[in-house]
Amino acid sequence: MNLRNIKIIYRKELLDSLRDRRTLISMVLVPILMFPVMILGVGIIMGLVISKAVQKGSKVVIVGESFGESLASKIQEKEGVEVVEMENYEIALRKKEIQTVLVIPKYFEESLARADSTELRILYDEAELRSQMAEKKLREVILDYRDEVVSERMTSRGIEKSFLEPFVVTSVNLASKEKMGGMVMGLFLPYMVIILSLTGAMYPAVDMTAGEKERGTLETLMVSSASRKEMVLGKFTMVFTASVITALLSLLSLFATFALGSSLTISILEDFPFSIQPLGFVTVFFMMIPLSAFFSSLLMMISIFAKSSKEANSYIHPLVFIIVLPAMVSFLPGVELNSLMAMIPIVNTSLVLKEVLMGTYHWGNIGLIFLFNFLFAALGLWGAIGLFEKETVLFRV
Amino acid sequence: MIQVKELTKIFKDRKRGEVRAVDGISFECKPGRIFGLLGPNGAGKTTILRILSTILRPTSGTALINGADVVEDPLKARRQIGFLSCDTKLYGRLTPREMVFYFGRLYGMKEDAIARRAEEIFQLFGMKDFIHRRNDRLSSGMQQKVSIARTIIHDPPVMVLDEPTFGLDIMASRAVIQFIRKCREEGKTVILSSHVMAVAEKLCDEIAIIHRGRILATGTLKEHQERTGKEDLEEIFVHLVGEENGANIGH
Ligand SMILES: Nc1ncnc2c1ncn2[C@@H]1O[C@H](COP(=O)(O)OP(=O)(O)OP(=O)(O)O)[C@@H](O)[C@H]1O
Ligand SMILES: [Mg+2]
């Protein structure tokens, strides 16, 4: 084996890939744009929808207003609520002409005066954002009103407030901010990064093998004096490069998105206080390297076997589904990394990334998984070389 | 110098079962001469030439390329060869210059040696004004020139050419024929395949007529003419193939 030849082939494939718009899109553009578009896009759209709903305010029909005039006047004072009169209020609610209906029972104030208990009914439409918000507002006003009534009753009977509230419960969350943010991120980030590094390797792997068969350049390469093994290794190195670049760019883009998102105070990002230490970032990236190598060799094996890009893609699509499932293991609460899990490719990376993002570093496991994944990559590479040396595979008819 | 010894290639085809594409063929091509393989479609020409260029391994038998065994030492054999066929396409996103340099490097040449040799070739084929354009934007005549440049960058003593004028217009195929003659003048060993009689008649010093993986007759055009009593290569060809088919029916 000649290292110089591997380097020559790698350099040529790199140049070739950089001139190929589709490789650039899958290697650079998709990982950079994916997260901002997804997270900021969803955040901005949700923000717009909510602020529009808030602006519009909500229309409320109060049935039996005369039975509870003091409550009705409190509702009228509430910001963003407009009390309207309507006969067929249920139909109007379905037609979205109004957002909620408050039904005040007969003799409501009389029963309050008697210190009885009675029922207030709110009609709303849970499937409508504006109706949901209106219900919340209405409930706020009503509960405030109830508290007033209660405290009036207590003072009139000379009862202290502490009688009803013998103690208060305060929960103190000791999880670090990193862990809280990491918990949310740990759920879906491993999955996203794993899938992106797979897709980053996909196009170049197919293009450099099955694609070359299809375009008739593979036979040209085979008469050069590089050995088949050197050809596979040179091409593999390029596929691996593409996959690692994709993983790195998607990680960077993710963190940039969160940094940008929190400076723009986008509402859904405020719910996910996310920060990661440099150590976490570096560890996540390093754990992606052997997995990228594994994906690259696996994809190369498949596309060396295929006669055309089309055939290769038809094998790869089912593979993506097979890989998506173990990658999603990070979504499952309670699945913890153990030595058995550490030996299952993809599952091990998904779980270890989740741990690292939550600030837990089991260096033994991390090292083990790193080595195991490289072992799987080596196996895949060995298979790819074996297939590439078989003329029945290269000249399949 | 090419020495082919009892070469056999059997393909296992899922539909047709075993296909004897090359069936115990032996022949020799000498330096400074052009050897032509003439045969109908499916005769086994491409398969023979692919074995010589070590893309395929023979089922049995072997061939020596300037003494290097294609089975025992394929890398050494490959270095002696310039192989050109319709299936050796160019990398579309590279330029002719990059293409030629890529192969020069893979043949283990030094950068300055490649630069000198490439300059010579570009000059010779009048390629100067398109060596920095992308291959996929060149006309097919220009592409054929680039392919030839790629084939001879390492100045191989043996040229293996599969249908070298296939799909080219008159001007382009004239240029290729001139190039092949020049190889002969330089003392290279040239083997080519064709099913175009005119090309074989014009170029080849020795012609092997092959059919169904076997050589029916080898010799100069004159020898073929004397043996069969026919003037024209096409007539000779039809005569020999007819004889073979007749013999098969007779069995
Ligand atoms: N990879 C392969 N697998 C199975 N059979 C093959 C393979 N390659 C060639 N063959 C068969 O071997 C025989 C010889 O084919 P070959 O391509 O050598 O013929 P040829 O003389 O070059 O024909 P043409 O003039 O059409 O180029 C044919 O029957 C062909 O179908
Ligand atoms: Mg052929």
Side-chain angles (χ1 to χ4, degrees):
Chain A
M1 203 170 57
N2 185 336
L3 227 75
R4 179 176 177 265
N5 280 347
I6 298 175
K7 224 156 81 189
I8 293 168
I9 294 171
Y10 173 67
R11 264 176 37 199
K12 179 260 161 194
E13 297 298 354
L14 186 65
L15 178 72
D16 209 348
S17 297
L18 290 178
R19 287 198 186 144
D20 184 11
R21 208 179 323 124
R22 276 175 297 176
T23 307
L24 285 182
I25 289 173
S26 83
M27 187 171 80
V28 180
L29 219 59
V30 170
I32 289 183
L33 291 184
M34 180 94 158
F35 290 112
V37 168
M38 234 174 56
I39 296 173
L40 298 184
V42 168
I44 288 169
I45 288 170
M46 264 176 64
L48 280 180
V49 169
I50 291 171
S51 70
K52 213 168 155 196
V54 170
Q55 257 175 22
K56 275 190 179 162
S58 35
K59 293 194 173 122
V60 183
V61 170
I62 301 177
V63 181
E65 198 174 337
S66 55
F67 301 117
E69 272 167 354
S70 53
L71 175 60
S73 70
K74 283 208 157 43
I75 291 171
Q76 256 152 357
E77 282 163 20
K78 178 81 179 170
E79 218 177 313
V81 176
E82 185 190 341
V83 178
V84 293
E85 308 238 343
M86 206 161 287
E87 281 292 307
N88 293 321
Y89 50 82
E90 279 194 38
I91 294 170
L93 185 62
R94 290 213 180 91
K95 284 186 179 165
K96 303 177 199 167
E97 286 163 7
I98 56 171
Q99 277 67 50
T100 49
V101 178
L102 174 66
V103 183
I104 301 177
K106 263 186 191 170
Y107 315 121
F108 176 66
E109 290 197 340
E110 283 85 341
S111 90
L112 286 188
R114 273 187 271 117
D116 274 359
S117 185
T118 176
E119 184 191 28
L120 284 171
R121 197 182 280 263
I122 301 173
L123 308 183
Y124 79 112
D125 181 349
E126 174 77 34
E128 283 296 318
L129 181 64
R130 278 179 73 193
S131 185
Q132 247 183 58
M133 287 167 57
E135 188 262 356
K136 227 192 226 161
K137 269 185 204 158
L138 219 52
R139 185 174 276 273
E140 265 170 36
V141 179
I142 292 169
L143 290 183
D144 281 350
Y145 182 65
R146 189 181 66 180
D147 287 348
E148 255 173 53
V149 172
V150 169
S151 63
E152 260 170 38
R153 283 180 186 178
M154 292 205 302
T155 38
S156 72
R157 290 179 200 192
I159 300 169
E160 286 295 305
K161 211 179 167 192
S162 58
F163 184 77
L164 268 189
E165 258 182 49
F167 51 79
V168 289
V169 185
T170 316
S171 305
V172 182
N173 184 1
L174 286 183
S176 62
K177 199 172 155 83
E178 181 186 349
K179 192 166 179 185
M180 284 302 291
M183 195 185 76
V184 180
M185 294 305 292
L187 289 180
F188 89 106
L189 183 131
Y191 168 76
M192 292 306 299
V193 179
I194 289 171
I195 294 304
L196 274 172
S197 71
L198 176 73
T199 50
M202 222 146 74
Y203 180 73
V206 173
D207 190 62
M208 273 181 240
T209 53
E212 279 213 34
K213 275 193 201 177
E214 203 177 320
R215 293 189 295 270
T217 50
L218 195 61
E219 205 166 318
T220 319
L221 181 60
M222 281 190 319
V223 293
S224 78
S225 59
S227 72
R228 308 269 159 102
K229 194 190 268 173
E230 289 157 7
M231 292 173 199
V232 175
L233 288 176
K235 285 168 183 289
F236 164 81
T237 317
M238 179 56 219
V239 178
F240 177 50
T241 306
S243 175
V244 169
I245 290 179
T246 308
L248 181 64
L249 287 180
S250 61
L251 276 177
L252 287 174
S253 149
L254 185 78
F255 297 132
T257 304
F258 274 87
L260 189 71
S262 47
S263 73
L264 290 178
T265 58
I266 283 173
S267 58
I268 59 162
L269 292 181
E270 282 173 352
D271 300 336
F272 301 107
F274 179 65
S275 66
I276 187 166
Q277 307 306 310
L279 180 67
F281 181 90
V282 170
T283 314
V284 170
F285 177 62
F286 266 95
M287 293 313 284
M288 287 314 298
I289 290 176
L291 190 71
S292 284
F294 174 57
F295 284 155
S296 305
S297 65
L298 201 65
L299 289 169
M300 277 194 74
M301 229 161 85
I302 292 171
S303 36
I304 283 172
F305 179 77
K307 272 186 301 220
S308 63
S309 310
K310 213 173 139 198
E311 192 187 331
N313 285 324
S314 74
Y315 297 143
I316 288 173
H317 283 149
L319 178 81
V320 172
F321 284 105
I322 295 172
I323 287 177
V324 160
L325 288 176
M328 284 206 292
V329 79
S330 62
F331 287 118
L332 299 177
V335 180
E336 300 249 318
L337 192 58
N338 54 36
S339 49
L340 179 71
M341 293 285 194
M343 285 187 277
I344 309 173
I346 305 165
V347 169
N348 59 11
T349 314
S350 183
L351 290 177
V352 82
L353 294 191
K354 183 178 171 181
E355 273 194 9
V356 166
L357 287 165
M358 290 169 73
T360 314
Y361 296 86
H362 289 133
W363 289 110
N365 276 345
I366 290 174
L368 199 68
I369 291 170
F370 194 81
L371 287 180
F372 257 117
N373 283 350
F374 262 126
L375 197 73
F376 287 121
L379 275 177
L381 200 53
W382 177 72
I385 292 172
L387 282 179
F388 202 75
E389 280 170 348
K390 266 202 155 67
E391 63 185 43
T392 46
V393 169
L394 285 189
F395 291 93
R396 269 176 68 222
V397 277
Chain B
M1 180 75 157
I2 304 173
Q3 292 153 290
V4 177
K5 296 174 182 170
E6 296 292 324
L7 204 62
T8 299
K9 179 71 188 180
I10 300 172
F11 288 115
K12 298 213 170 46
D13 194 293
R14 233 178 284 144
K15 284 185 209 108
R16 295 185 291 168
E18 283 196 352
V19 179
R20 284 182 168 270
V22 180
D23 195 359
I25 278 181
S26 302
F27 61 85
E28 237 180 64
C29 322
K30 294 184 188 68
R33 287 170 70 83
I34 299 173
F35 188 96
L37 294 173
L38 197 63
N41 292 132
K45 305 179 295 288
T46 300
T47 307
I48 295 171
L49 299 185
R50 276 181 175 162
I51 292 172
L52 293 184
S53 62
T54 76
I55 294 172
L56 293 178
R57 285 182 141 253
T59 309
S60 67
T62 189
L64 302 181
I65 312 287
N66 274 359
D69 192 311
V70 294
V71 179
E72 306 276 306
D73 197 351
L75 282 183
K76 191 173 170 204
R78 231 181 280 168
R79 247 177 239 127
Q80 315 282 324
I81 286 180
F83 179 71
L84 181 67
S85 89
C86 320
D87 299 317
T88 51
K89 300 267 168 48
L90 301 171
Y91 286 109
R93 292 187 289 262
L94 296 190
T95 68
R97 197 185 140 81
E98 287 161 352
M99 186 82 195
V100 166
F101 266 72
Y102 181 42
F103 279 84
R105 285 179 193 130
L106 285 179
Y107 283 116
M109 295 170 74
K110 294 240 162 62
E111 289 297 297
D112 54 338
I114 302 174
R116 241 179 292 124
R117 173 83 180 146
E119 182 65 23
E120 225 176 271
I121 296 169
F122 295 151
Q123 188 79 41
L124 182 70
F125 291 102
M127 297 169 64
K128 285 281 187 178
D129 36 315
F130 61 83
I131 55 168
H132 293 298
R133 269 198 262 163
R134 273 170 62 146
N135 285 329
D136 55 7
R137 296 186 187 142
L138 301 178
S139 73
S140 53
M142 291 171 177
Q143 285 181 353
Q144 185 73 355
K145 284 182 179 175
V146 181
S147 280
I148 291 174
R150 187 271 303 158
T151 312
I152 57 174
I153 181 69
H154 57 305
D155 201 9
V158 176
M159 300 298 302
V160 178
L161 311 169
D162 191 12
E163 314 261 5
T165 57
F166 187 82
L168 297 182
D169 68 9
I170 302 168
M171 289 311 288
S173 68
R174 268 178 73 93
V176 171
I177 286 170
Q178 270 171 10
F179 157 71
I180 295 171
R181 289 214 173 102
K182 192 168 172 293
C183 288
R184 172 169 57 189
E185 277 161 33
E186 287 169 0
K188 293 186 195 298
T189 310
V190 181
I191 181 170
L192 60 85
S193 79
S194 185
H195 54 243
V196 184
M197 306 295 162
V199 174
E201 231 167 32
K202 235 195 293 186
L203 267 175
C204 299
D205 301 306
E206 203 170 340
I207 297 168
I209 293 176
I210 61 169
H211 185 51
R212 294 198 182 134
R214 291 224 288 269
I215 296 186
L216 300 185
T218 329
T220 60
L221 181 59
K222 214 164 164 210
E223 283 165 355
H224 284 303
Q225 285 166 336
E226 278 163 12
R227 199 176 311 144
T228 57
K230 312 271 180 195
E231 258 309 294
D232 183 77
L233 193 55
E234 198 174 308
E235 296 280 315
I236 294 167
F237 183 79
V238 171
H239 179 87
L240 283 170
V241 170
E243 220 171 45
E244 167 81 1
N245 285 347
N248 279 352
I249 292 161
H251 278 179

